[in-house]
């Protein structure tokens, strides 16, 4: 059995949960077994996970699970894994999944691969691929233990909602008391977080100062994109730290990455070069970023960006 | 406060990545190594700040070969008091975590610091594994931390925001950007580091449950298509019709 831990945010399932379940269903098909989902805490529409390929949804409804504690979540997922006899456990490679996958592997003495971006192949060992060296290379990993744990990198497969709702069954497992206290959760509302964003508009030191970011925000708004930035921009507090992408920031793989006024240093590329399509706007034709770009515009971003925004508005109005 | 900081060695960030033997091994030819930036800049420095504020000691731990000693000495030069190297090839996360947890158990640390991820393997696993093996709380992606007595208030990065949690020692914490400010070792630190203890310990038996069986480079990009800066309608057309991303 493949068990997918589908995480929720305030009771709602997001794209990363749908991706994980879709991944689990595909892996189960290859392994010739069934895929079930596990949900924790107070949730809405757990049955809907069936449409992504879970044949059943197990629910541990204890409301203490409404706030996240890696230690408690690990104990609960491990108990569910043992109770259901799952052989492969899957979760999202989100801040939650990344905090659990190692703990769970250690607890169950299972082989784990974090941040996979391919469906497993099984000939003898189970094999999956993940990016390593901050996006500069891809490694194929083999897991040798009987029980295996994977976390699925965001945007590495399309959620497939072609199935139908699944029965939801309460699962009773021991929920240990938390040894931490979650005091506050602050999330920006109405914005797709960077790791999940399909469209990203990013800008760098070429912007000259934080007061000029209006044109970037406008472009992002018109596109429905999330904003990002290069490291010196975050270091100088021109932009919030969570927008910093690259080797030492967030690694992303959106469908479209637009970079304005970013030179394309190797450490920046490391976090973004898995984007499907890259557009670079830079006034310096020698900027290294052009070598990694699909489309390039050599010009002054203060003229090009507003022009692009207008062109997109026109396109959207026409479409 | 008895503080343990896990430090690992990674290729320098501009290193060119290549593979040998038909893509089965990392080509170390000409590669320069550094201490993993999250370990050096944030985990180690925050540990040193806590020691400076409240007293105690900072111990570094690394699982690796003798060639790691240069990186470990740099950590001592920045200000750690002592170091332990577990003399083994770090082939998988769980193997490394078992070594570190085994040592930490025997010494009884108040806080174990690690980086949020190593920039080579990008696993983000070792710290969580250590926490589980020690059966203590784990706070990941910490970008701010205050300590009062034995209770820490930590801000951790989550998607599109932050979460604030309170946790009492002992615990394991993984350091993200913001937890501290990078420190450059000075001459005195470098001299002193030569005399600080670096203990070498033999590993305990543990299996590797995962193995990298092959490597490849990402597919090469075809040449960039340049678009006239006056003609953004053309760019939009290409993004819509050719790339199909908008
Ligand atoms: C260990 C380490 C880790 C690092 N990690 C990261 C990381 O994770 N992410 C990251 O981004 N960086 C990282 N860096 C920093 C990286 O090396 C670069 O310094 C940084 O990416 C440069 O940022 P930038 O492109 O915004 O600025 P610059 O390099 O200053 O480039 C600005 C660009 O804007 C262009 N420009 C200026 N004015 C205009 C205009 N009017 N119109 C159009 N274009 C204009 C210029 O031609 C130039 O190409 C790291 C460095 C180190 C040493
Ligand atoms: N071989 C090692 N020795 C000591 N600490 C390590 C080692 N490998 C990883 N770590 C620690 O674990 C963190 C996360 O590494 P990883 O799980 O590989 O991404 C690193 O930032 C280090 O603090």
């Amino acid at each position: 059995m493949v068990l997918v831990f589908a995480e929720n945010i305030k009771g709602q399932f997001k794209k990363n949960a749908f991706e994980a379940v879709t991944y689990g269903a595909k892996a189960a098909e290859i392994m010739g077994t069934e895929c079930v989902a596990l949900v924790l805490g107070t949730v809405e529409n757990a049955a809907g996970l069936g449409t992504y390929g879970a044949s059943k949804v197990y629910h541990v409804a204890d409301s203490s699970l409404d706030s996240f504690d890696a230690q408690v979540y690990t104990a609960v997922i491990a108990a569910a894994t043992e109770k259901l006899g799952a052989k492969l456990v899957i979760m999202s490679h989100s801040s939650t999944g990344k905090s659990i996958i190692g703990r769970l592997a250690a607890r169950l003495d299972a082989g784990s691969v974090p941040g996979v971006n391919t469906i497993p192949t099984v000939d003898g060992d189970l094999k999956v691929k993940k990016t390593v060296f901050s996006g500069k290379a891809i490694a194929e990993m083999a897991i040798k233990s009987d029980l295996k744990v994977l976390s699925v990198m965001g945007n590495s497969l399309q959620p497939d909602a072609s199935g139908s709702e699944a029965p939801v069954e309460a699962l009773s497992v021991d929920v240990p008391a938390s040894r931490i206290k979650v005091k506050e959760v602050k999330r920006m509302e109405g914005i797709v977080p960077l790791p999940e964003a399909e469209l990203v508009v990013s800008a760098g030191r070429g912007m000259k100062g934080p007061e000029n970011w209006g044109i970037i925000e406008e472009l992002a708004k018109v596109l429905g994109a999330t904003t990002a930035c290069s490291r010196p921009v975050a270091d100088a507090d021109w932009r919030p730290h969570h927008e910093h992408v690259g080797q030492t920031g967030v690694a992303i793989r959106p469908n479209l990455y637009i970079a304005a006024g970013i030179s394309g240093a190797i450490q920046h590329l490391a976090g973004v070069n898995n984007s499907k399509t890259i557009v670079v706007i830079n006034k310096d034709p020698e900027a290294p970023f052009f070598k990694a770009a699909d489309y390039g515009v050599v010009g002054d971003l203060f003229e090009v960006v507003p022009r692009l925004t207008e062109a997109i508005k026109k396109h959207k109005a026409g479409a | 406060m008895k503080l343990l900081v896990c430090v690992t060695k990674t290729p320098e960030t501009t290193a060119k990545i290549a593979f040998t033997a038909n893509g089965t091994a990392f080509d170390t030819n000409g590669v320069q190594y550094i201490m993993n930036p999250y370990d050096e800049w944030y985990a180690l420095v925050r540990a040193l700040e806590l020691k400076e504020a409240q007293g105690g000691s900072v111990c570094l731990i690394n699982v690796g070969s003798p060639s790691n000693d240069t990186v470990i000495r740099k950590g001592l030069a920045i200000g750690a008091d002592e170091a332990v190297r577990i003399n083994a090839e770090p082939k998988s996360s769980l193997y490394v975590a078992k070594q570190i947890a085994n040592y930490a158990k025997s010494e009884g640390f108040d806080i174990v610091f690690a980086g949020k991820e190593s920039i080579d393997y990008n696993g983000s696993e070792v710290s969580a594994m250590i926490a589980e093996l020690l059966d203590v709380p784990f706070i990941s992606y910490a970008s701010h931390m205050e300590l009062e007595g034995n209770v820490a208030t930590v801000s951790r990065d989550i998607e599109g925001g932050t979460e604030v949690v309170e946790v009492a020692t002992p615990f394991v914490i993984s350091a993200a950007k913001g937890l501290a400010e990078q420190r450059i070792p000075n001459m005195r630190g470098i001299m002193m580091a030569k005399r600080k203890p670096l203990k070498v310990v033999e590993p305990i038996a543990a299996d590797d449950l995962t193995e990298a069986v092959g490597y490849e480079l990402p597919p090469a990009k075809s040449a960039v298509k340049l678009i006239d800066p006056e003609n953004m309608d053309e760019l939009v057309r290409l993004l819509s019709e050719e790339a199909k991303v908008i």
Side-chain angles (χ1 to χ4, degrees):
Chain A
M1 175 193 282
V2 174
L3 177 67
V4 180
F5 160 55
E7 68 181 76
N8 70 81
I9 294 179
K10 289 202 234 153
Q12 308 276 340
F13 297 102
K14 297 280 156 77
K15 193 173 117 207
N16 64 358
F18 304 145
E19 287 173 346
V21 176
T22 301
Y23 185 99
K26 292 195 169 170
E29 200 180 304
I30 288 165
M31 295 164 71
T33 178
E34 63 166 339
C35 167
V36 301
L38 173 68
V39 300
L40 308 182
T42 317
V43 295
E44 284 164 38
N45 195 17
L49 294 173
T51 56
Y52 296 94
S55 60
K56 197 179 230 178
V57 180
Y58 290 97
H59 185 193
V60 183
D62 195 315
S63 65
S64 70
L65 296 167
D66 290 350
S67 55
F68 177 67
D69 176 349
Q71 191 170 22
V72 173
Y73 270 47
T74 300
V76 170
I77 298 169
T81 304
E82 281 166 351
K83 194 159 185 172
L84 300 171
K87 288 290 174 230
L88 174 62
V89 184
I90 288 167
M91 61 193 77
S92 309
H93 198 58
S94 59
S95 65
T96 294
K98 288 193 268 187
S99 308
I100 299 172
I101 178 168
R103 278 202 90 121
L104 192 65
R107 187 178 185 104
L108 299 170
D109 207 30
S112 58
V113 181
V116 300
N117 54 34
T118 58
I119 303 296
T121 56
V122 221
D123 56 65
D125 291 336
L126 179 138
K127 289 182 189 148
V128 282
K129 289 184 181 176
K130 79 181 287 284
T131 55
V132 288
F133 297 105
S134 307
K136 292 185 209 169
I138 299 153
E140 185 170 37
M141 307 293 300
I143 307 185
K144 292 180 279 188
S145 53
D146 186 32
L147 181 59
K148 304 163 179 77
V149 189
L150 304 175
S151 63
V152 183
M153 182 78 182
N155 285 345
S156 53
L157 83 171
Q158 204 52 44
D160 175 358
S162 59
S164 50
E165 291 202 340
V168 180
E169 192 177 301
L171 185 71
S172 129
V173 294
D174 201 30
V175 180
S178 176
R179 285 192 252 161
I180 68 168
K181 197 156 95 200
V182 176
K183 295 179 71 183
E184 197 183 353
V185 183
K186 291 177 275 193
R187 266 182 221 275
M188 286 178 316
E189 299 294 333
I191 293 172
V192 186
L194 265 181
E196 289 169 32
E198 290 182 0
L199 307 172
V200 175
V201 176
S202 186
R205 217 146 49 173
M207 293 296 293
K208 308 280 187 287
E211 66 282 4
N212 297 329
W213 241 266
I215 54 170
I216 297 299
E217 280 169 351
E218 179 67 15
L219 174 58
K221 197 173 122 206
V222 168
L223 268 174
T226 302
T227 49
C229 67
S230 67
R231 179 170 144 210
V233 161
D235 281 352
D237 283 330
W238 291 3
R239 298 298 293 175
H241 285 289
H242 60 77
E243 283 198 0
H244 161 195
V245 292
Q247 184 150 31
T248 47
V250 186
I252 54 172
R253 44 189 308 137
N255 287 338
L256 174 62
Y257 183 71
I258 301 182
I262 300 179
S263 57
I266 190 160
Q267 298 95 351
H268 184 85
L269 295 181
V272 304
N273 63 1
N274 280 306
S275 308
K276 195 165 151 239
T277 300
I278 297 179
V279 174
V280 168
I281 302 168
N282 197 303
K283 67 176 182 189
D284 174 10
E286 302 296 322
F289 217 150
F290 285 118
K291 290 205 181 70
D294 299 281
Y295 303 105
V297 183
V298 179
D300 185 344
L301 72 90
F302 293 103
E303 290 165 18
V304 173
V305 171
R307 217 175 272 148
L308 177 57
T309 306
E310 286 314 308
I312 288 165
K313 275 190 195 157
K314 216 162 78 191
H315 171 80
K316 296 229 157 162
Chain B
M1 280 267 145
K2 232 177 136 179
L3 307 170
L4 183 68
V5 182
C6 306
V7 296
T8 185
K9 185 181 85 170
T10 56
E12 184 264 324
T13 56
T14 59
K16 199 166 158 2
I17 303 301
F19 302 100
T20 58
N22 281 331
T24 52
F26 175 52
D27 184 357
T28 54
N29 225 324
V31 173
Q32 304 269 340
Y33 289 92
I34 56 168
M35 193 188 305
N36 187 42
Y38 294 108
D39 309 354
E40 179 188 330
W41 302 350
Y42 312 125
L44 171 57
V45 177
R46 191 66 191 114
L48 292 173
E49 287 169 354
L50 290 180
K51 174 196 140 178
E52 285 155 9
Q54 343 207 327
S57 63
V58 175
C59 179
L60 303 174
I61 190 161
N62 171 262
V63 179
S65 58
S67 66
N68 288 11
D69 287 353
T70 335
V71 159
I72 300 172
R73 289 272 175 218
K74 182 172 185 198
L76 294 171
I78 294 171
D81 301 292
E82 54 180 329
V84 180
R85 181 171 56 77
I86 305 196
N87 193 25
E89 208 44 59
K91 278 195 295 202
S92 69
S93 306
L94 194 50
Y95 179 90
V96 168
K98 283 180 179 173
Q99 306 302 330
I100 296 176
N102 179 60
Y103 183 81
K105 221 173 249 165
S106 67
E107 294 284 317
F109 290 95
D110 296 297
I111 307 175
V112 178
F113 286 85
K116 81 161 190 181
E117 67 174 32
S118 55
I119 63 168
D120 51 1
Y121 176 65
N122 307 121
S124 219
E125 283 193 303
V126 170
S127 45
M129 288 170 166
I130 297 170
E132 185 63 31
L133 296 169
L134 295 175
D135 193 23
V136 299
F138 172 51
I139 311 296
S140 57
Y141 310 117
S143 55
H144 187 84
M145 169 199 193
E146 296 298 336
L147 191 67
E148 270 211 50
N150 72 332
V151 177
T153 305
V154 185
S155 303
R156 54 185 293 266
D157 295 342
I158 55 174
E159 285 76 14
T162 49
E163 183 173 275
V164 182
V165 299
E166 220 173 65
V167 59
T169 59
F171 59 89
V172 177
I173 187 165
S174 83
K177 182 178 168 180
L179 191 66
E181 291 276 345
Q182 182 182 8
R183 286 187 186 178
I184 313 287
N186 57 25
M187 211 48 213
R188 189 165 161 268
I190 294 168
M191 295 311 292
M192 276 168 63
K194 294 194 176 128
R195 289 192 302 271
K196 287 180 179 169
L198 194 171
K199 189 162 78 178
V200 178
V201 175
E202 289 310 312
I204 54 167
D207 291 330
D208 289 307
L209 303 179
T210 57
E211 185 191 2
V213 289
Y215 296 95
E216 59 197 277
L217 295 173
K221 280 260 175 197
S222 49
V224 57
K225 253 190 206 168
L226 289 180
I227 320 276
D228 178 0
E230 303 288 334
N231 191 357
M232 286 300 100
D233 290 332
E234 173 64 4
L235 177 58
V236 171
R237 187 189 69 76
L238 288 168
L239 290 177
S240 160
E241 290 171 16
E242 190 178 78
K244 298 190 170 58
V245 287
I246 59 172

